[in-house]
Amino acid sequence: MIKKPIMSLGTINTILNTAPIVIQGATRLIKLIRDQGKNHLPEEEIPDTIDGIKNEVDRLHQRLDTNDESNVEQIKLIEELAKQNESLATQLKTTITHLNRVTLLAVIALLISIVCLVNLLQ
């Protein structure tokens, strides 16, 4: 039987405090990804003149610049989420260490109480 570790109040508090930030970051990332897909040019709008082609090239350059900015923003969001995950993992590791110490103390206390009880019954 596998026992699940009990989270301390500090860990739960950390999770609850960072959850809105994680949700905001994920929402912004989803919005950026969706916005990238909305800028496609239908085939019937392909320009026929040199000026139209120049305008289309300028528009494409602008889209590429926007995509580059969007990619940088996505990378920043991913880095932020990774840092938050690292912080949560560190907090969880600390909590498990504390839980192991408390468990060891409880086992020692139980053994001492059993020894005392056996001595009293003799």
Side-chain angles (χ1 to χ4, degrees), residues 14-63:
T14 301
I15 291 170
L16 291 176
N17 286 337
T18 58
I21 297 168
V22 172
I23 291 170
Q24 267 183 338
T27 303
R28 287 183 8 205
L29 183 59
I30 290 169
K31 184 177 182 288
L32 286 170
I33 292 170
R34 283 185 183 159
D35 288 346
Q36 281 182 352
K38 292 181 181 178
N39 294 328
H40 295 291
L41 184 66
E43 286 187 31
E44 59 266 2
E45 292 183 23
I46 295 176
D48 294 331
T49 65
I50 297 295
D51 288 335
I53 292 173
K54 287 179 182 177
N55 290 337
E56 182 62 21
V57 168
D58 289 341
R59 194 180 73 76
L60 288 174
H61 280 292
Q62 185 179 13
R63 275 187 52 204

Side-chain angles (χ1 to χ4, degrees), residues 2 10 12 14 16 19-20 27 35 39 42-44 54 58-59 64 78 87 90 92 99-100 105 109 113 115 117-118:
I2 299 174
I12 294 171
T14 301
L16 291 176
T27 303
D35 288 346
N39 294 328
E43 286 187 31
E44 59 266 2
K54 287 179 182 177
D58 289 341
R59 194 180 73 76
L64 288 173
I78 290 169
S87 173
T90 302
L92 185 59
L99 180 63
N100 289 339
L105 288 174
S113 64
V115 169
L117 184 61
V118 167

